[in-house]
Amino acid sequence: MIGPGLQSTRPIASSSSANLGSTAYFSLEASMEALRADITSGLINFDSGSSNLADHPAKRAKTTSTVSDKVRIGPSKRVRGRLSELPSMPLDILYEVRDISLIQYQVNQSWTGVASGTQIFGHLPPSGLLSLSRVSKAFRQLLMSRSSLFLWKTSYSLIPDVPTCPEDMSEPAWAHLLFGGAYCYTCGAKPVAKILFSFRRRACKSCMKAHLLCARSVPMEIRRAVPSDTGHSRASIHRPWGQMCIEHWWNEDVQVFRDELDALKRPACGQDGAAVNTDDIVSEFLQRKKKKAADIKEHSTICLEWEKDRNADRNSVLSDVRAKRFEAIRARFFELGYVDEDIQGLHGHHEVSNTKPMSDRVWQRIEPLLIPEINKARDLRLQREGRYLGRRAVVLDQYVKFMKTLSELSPLLLALSPTFSEFLCGDRTLANVVALDNDIIGPGLVEQASEAISRLIDGLEIRRLERSIFLRSLLPENDAFESATDEEVLGLATSVYECAPCHLRISGLHMLAHRCRGPQKHRIQYPRFSEEGRKTVEVLLGLLGLGEKTTALELDRRGDRFVCLRCPLLSFGGRGACVQGRYARDWRSCVAHATGPKQERSHKGGFEFHLVEESKTAGIQWCGDRHLAAYSCKRCPLPVVGRGANVEWRGLDVIKEHINQRHHQGGPLEGDDFFFNLALPRSGITSIRVIEI
């Protein structure tokens, strides 16, 4: 429209022009140029019309300051991206982005056009449209409107043999069920790959246990009127040896059906006040529900077959991708001098069975991870062939001497040191000399072994320094320990950590030398500071009257015993001599007891520890670290035995007896006379029977 004060004498375009105009768009500059041309040529008359420009009141002058003078308060507006205006574009541009090829202009002035260009949304599968609708509100409003229904139907045609959308669901909801994400619709747990097509949902095992009803919980009149499922029943949860075709129903569907049925069975009166017979209404309702449940079951059978074929196709594609990745890795190892027998053992490695394509960058990342594994396989092959045992014995002798000197220098470096197989496989230069050299024993072999051990010592020092700095950074700041070294701070009793993959809770020095035994893909140290462990140690130190500077070694030497008063009373003994009490623990066992994953439910009121007198624990047998083969004498050379250079660790009682007989009489002290293997977890000791408290 031009306006009340402007009247145009340009003829109105015909219907054909209007149709053409729907596919041709003019910019704002072109429209202004056309308006100026109309004014100049006299097509627009300013004098005609019911009103004139002079009749309009003058606009009030703007008195506010300019935008540049304003000071913005609060956060700045979000930066709009390049595609932010895409939802506001006309639908024709969204659906067709290139020029329109006009095929024929008919006599009746009607245009027939064919889109030779690419349609933006028409080439997206349902998963793409679903993801696009979650980008912004504008996209969601556009794609969820009824005018875009043909887009969803077109997107389903791009996927072969996809099940048709059921009548009780919309196309976007059906796309969400098939491609919307592998999570539980009830609790949001991930991943949930299986789809319960009869229930129109995805459910995890815990929600299936809570919501699935068996036949004895569903009345007979409801069983055929409510959708049921037999392919994903609770039987597979409770019976891991296999699934059984037991029919189950979703409890929410049963409850909704019961509410609707109860509403229909209520007495009702007609317009004349007479009672209405509801039997026919209920019968019709049941027949309708039974037919719908039968249709859902038939449709779910088709969907299960489609899902089975789809998973088979996907597994076939992934198998081809894994095979190509393995062949690429195999070719690279062939270039390094390995044989096919060495490489075949890598099939089960998670980096080899990965589905990502191989590249130079990926190879740089996974090569250090695969080299130790393939070197072990090569060593086993060479041992079977009996070619390099002599050269290996020379390197083993040098490594045993290194370990004996290392135990005298620092038990921590001994805990950080690798096994002989890891050392030999980790140093590629030395491993190649031992495996590929034809000389049995040469003067250069001892020299190369010494150089490899020197490189190992430097690597151990760097590893100790890096881990110490990182573990100290996880501790809360305390000015009292600002001048202490990293290892002194980690040696405090309050420095308690937890390994995230294996959930092991240990003190600082043990975490410094910890080797995670979790899943293969997570065997990297991911420690975190345990606040619950620190609070537990502070409570124990308060009972002993000790300060925060007490070290873990000092508590180990003291040998104090505690009892948790929040634990339930237990009985011990036979007839007539039954004793009720609780288990006694040392301080490490108390920390493990208070920070365990199962203690939150059994100790909802917290933990309350009590110091036990030494007289009450006299003569009681203990289990735990005392019987763990993890101790060694510091006054004797480190006992290294076997072809793998393994340390012969012993139990605590054996070590104490050895020190009393061989070295001196008296009480041996930990740290001075013997030491604990820091590479092993130390969870403390606990009494075998309860003590009366």
Side-chain angles (χ1 to χ4, degrees):
M1 298 179 61
I2 299 177
L6 302 177
Q7 182 176 356
S8 175
T9 58
R10 173 175 292 182
I12 300 176
S14 61
S15 59
S16 61
S17 300
N19 293 333
L20 178 60
S22 63
T23 58
Y25 296 92
F26 300 93
S27 62
L28 180 60
E29 291 78 3
S31 301
M32 294 302 296
E33 291 294 335
L35 182 61
R36 294 191 188 97
D38 291 344
I39 296 174
T40 304
S41 60
L43 293 177
I44 299 179
N45 186 6
F46 289 92
D47 297 332
S48 61
S50 58
S51 59
N52 199 345
L53 293 176
D55 298 335
H56 292 274
K59 292 185 178 180
R60 187 166 50 186
K62 186 175 182 181
T63 59
T64 59
S65 60
T66 60
V67 178
S68 60
D69 297 335
K70 292 183 180 180
V71 178
R72 185 179 299 279
I73 301 176
S76 60
K77 290 185 177 180
R78 182 179 178 182
V79 179
R80 299 174 65 87
R82 296 181 178 180
L83 301 179
S84 59
E85 299 295 336
L86 189 61
S88 60
M89 295 173 63
L91 296 181
D92 293 13
I93 297 181
L94 283 177
Y95 300 153
E96 300 174 4
V97 297
R98 297 182 182 175
D99 55 342
I100 303 297
S101 298
L102 301 179
I103 297 181
Q104 182 181 6
Y105 180 67
Q106 298 179 351
V107 180
N108 56 359
Q109 295 182 352
S110 62
W111 289 88
T112 58
V114 175
S116 63
T118 305
Q119 296 180 354
I120 296 180
F121 294 159
H123 286 273
L124 292 178
S127 58
L129 291 179
L130 198 63
S131 301
L132 193 61
S133 66
R134 296 169 178 173
V135 171
S136 63
K137 292 182 179 179
F139 275 120
R140 182 175 182 82
Q141 184 179 4
L142 173 64
L143 294 174
M144 293 301 171
S145 62
R146 291 186 176 273
S147 60
S148 301
L149 183 60
F150 73 97
L151 285 176
W152 294 93
K153 294 182 178 180
T154 305
S155 65
Y156 284 115
S157 63
L158 300 177
I159 302 178
D161 301 330
V162 64
T164 58
C165 179
E167 296 180 356
D168 57 334
M169 296 184 70
S170 62
E171 276 74 8
W174 183 242
H176 174 67
L177 180 63
L178 297 180
F179 316 104
Y183 66 91
C184 178
Y185 286 7
T186 305
C187 65
K190 295 181 180 180
V192 180
K194 286 288 185 179
I195 304 176
L196 305 178
F197 288 101
S198 297
F199 304 140
R200 305 288 194 250
R201 63 173 59 244
R202 296 175 186 257
C204 61
K205 290 185 177 180
S206 59
C207 291
M208 288 172 65
K209 291 180 181 179
H211 292 274
L212 286 181
L213 300 177
C214 58
R216 63 175 177 268
S217 302
V218 181
M220 185 63 67
E221 62 178 354
I222 300 180
R223 294 180 185 178
R224 293 296 169 261
V226 178
S228 61
D229 189 90
T230 55
H232 310 276
S233 64
R234 294 173 59 181
S236 61
I237 303 171
H238 298 290
R239 298 177 177 86
W241 55 82
Q243 292 186 354
M244 298 180 63
C245 295
I246 300 178
E247 197 170 13
H248 285 82
W249 292 261
W250 196 260
N251 61 347
E252 296 178 358
D253 297 343
V254 174
Q255 186 61 39
V256 171
F257 179 83
R258 283 177 173 174
D259 295 341
E260 295 178 356
L261 187 62
D262 293 341
L264 294 177
K265 288 183 178 180
R266 292 171 186 167
C269 298
Q271 296 181 356
D272 55 353
V276 178
N277 187 8
T278 59
D279 295 340
D280 297 338
I281 300 176
V282 172
S283 178
E284 182 184 357
F285 172 75
L286 291 175
Q287 293 297 329
R288 187 171 66 253
K289 287 293 185 179
K290 289 180 180 179
K291 183 179 181 304
K292 182 179 179 181
D295 294 341
I296 290 177
K297 188 173 184 179
E298 182 180 359
H299 184 265
S300 64
T301 304
I302 300 174
C303 294
L304 288 174
E305 291 296 330
W306 170 80
E307 185 185 28
K308 182 180 178 180
D309 297 339
R310 178 168 172 260
N311 292 336
D313 295 341
R314 183 175 182 272
N315 293 333
S316 178
V317 172
L318 293 179
S319 299
D320 295 341
V321 174
R322 293 189 181 98
K324 292 180 180 179
R325 183 183 176 97
F326 177 76
E327 291 299 329
I329 295 175
R330 182 183 179 187
R332 292 178 184 268
F333 275 122
F334 278 157
E335 297 176 358
L336 297 178
Y338 295 93
V339 298
D340 188 67
E341 186 178 355
D342 304 335
I343 305 172
Q344 292 299 324
L346 298 177
H347 267 296
H349 200 281
H350 69 279
E351 291 292 350
V352 178
S353 59
N354 201 326
T355 56
K356 295 182 180 179
M358 179 57 60
S359 61
D360 294 338
R361 184 175 181 181
V362 175
W363 174 249
Q364 292 178 0
R365 181 182 62 83
I366 68 174
E367 183 185 11
L369 303 176
L370 299 179
I371 285 295
E373 301 292 334
I374 197 172
N375 282 344
K376 289 181 181 179
R378 183 186 62 180
D379 293 346
L380 293 176
R381 175 178 58 83
L382 294 177
Q383 285 182 11
R384 290 192 300 268
E385 296 176 358
R387 294 190 305 174
Y388 85 126
L389 294 180
R391 294 189 298 274
R392 186 181 185 277
V394 174
V395 179
L396 176 63
D397 184 61
Q398 297 295 321
Y399 191 74
V400 169
K401 294 178 181 179
F402 156 71
M403 292 189 66
K404 291 182 177 181
T405 57
L406 194 62
S407 63
E408 300 175 0
L409 295 176
S410 173
L412 181 58
L413 289 181
L414 178 63
L416 289 173
S417 62
T419 63
F420 177 69
S421 298
E422 294 173 347
F423 161 71
L424 190 59
C425 297
D427 196 301
R428 179 182 297 183
T429 303
L430 182 61
N432 291 334
V433 170
V434 174
L436 303 178
D437 192 5
N438 294 324
D439 296 333
I440 298 178
I441 298 176
L445 183 59
V446 177
E447 182 180 354
Q448 292 187 4
S450 301
E451 293 177 357
I453 291 174
S454 300
R455 293 192 296 269
L456 176 63
I457 295 176
D458 297 338
L460 293 179
E461 291 289 350
I462 295 174
R463 186 185 306 175
R464 180 177 66 173
L465 180 61
E466 291 177 350
R467 288 191 176 186
S468 300
I469 295 175
F470 175 70
L471 291 177
R472 185 170 185 176
S473 65
L474 300 178
L475 295 174
E477 296 183 0
N478 193 339
D479 298 336
F481 309 108
E482 185 175 358
S483 59
T485 62
D486 295 336
E487 293 188 11
E488 291 176 351
V489 175
L490 296 179
L492 298 176
T494 54
S495 300
V496 182
Y497 295 87
E498 177 186 2
C499 181
C502 62
H503 304 287
L504 182 66
R505 296 164 180 84
I506 49 180
S507 58
L509 293 179
H510 287 268
M511 181 57 72
L512 185 60
H514 173 59
R515 296 183 181 182
C516 183
R517 303 300 180 185
Q520 186 183 32
K521 63 175 64 177
H522 299 298
R523 287 181 184 175
I524 304 175
Q525 192 182 26
Y526 290 110
R528 55 191 179 194
F529 178 68
S530 176
E531 184 67 24
E532 296 82 359
R534 181 186 66 84
K535 293 180 180 179
T536 304
V537 175
E538 290 178 350
V539 171
L540 300 179
L541 293 178
L543 295 176
L544 298 174
L546 301 177
E548 60 181 359
K549 294 186 178 181
T550 305
T551 62
L553 181 60
E554 293 175 355
L555 291 182
D556 292 332
R557 289 178 174 179
R558 288 176 60 92
D560 298 300
R561 303 293 182 260
F562 306 88
V563 165
C564 179
L565 299 180
R566 294 297 178 91
C567 289
L569 288 172
L570 300 176
S571 299
F572 181 84
R575 297 179 180 178
C578 184
V579 176
Q580 285 191 342
R582 298 176 176 89
Y583 290 108
R585 310 170 184 273
D586 69 342
W587 76 276
R588 293 184 184 271
S589 180
C590 291
V591 173
H593 175 69
T595 58
K598 298 182 180 180
Q599 303 301 330
E600 297 181 358
R601 292 176 290 179
S602 59
H603 293 70
K604 294 183 179 180
F607 298 88
E608 183 180 353
F609 293 100
H610 173 72
L611 181 62
V612 181
E613 299 178 359
E614 187 176 357
S615 59
K616 292 186 177 182
T617 59
I620 296 180
Q621 295 182 352
W622 304 89
C623 63
D625 296 340
R626 294 180 64 91
H627 305 287
L628 184 64
Y631 297 88
S632 183
C633 179
K634 292 192 68 175
R635 300 183 180 274
C636 296
L638 189 68
V640 183
V641 296
R643 296 171 57 182
N646 300 319
V647 180
E648 188 177 3
W649 301 98
R650 300 176 182 176
L652 179 60
D653 296 335
V654 177
I655 286 296
K656 287 185 176 181
E657 184 180 358
H658 162 77
I659 295 174
N660 291 330
Q661 294 179 356
R662 294 285 302 273
H663 301 289
H664 63 81
Q665 299 292 332
L669 290 179
E670 183 176 354
D672 295 338
D673 300 321
F674 63 94
F675 64 94
F676 187 90
N677 184 10
L678 296 176
L680 297 178
R682 192 171 184 178
S683 57
I685 60 176
T686 308
S687 61
I688 294 179
R689 64 179 181 86
V690 298
I691 61 174
E692 188 176 2
I693 296 296

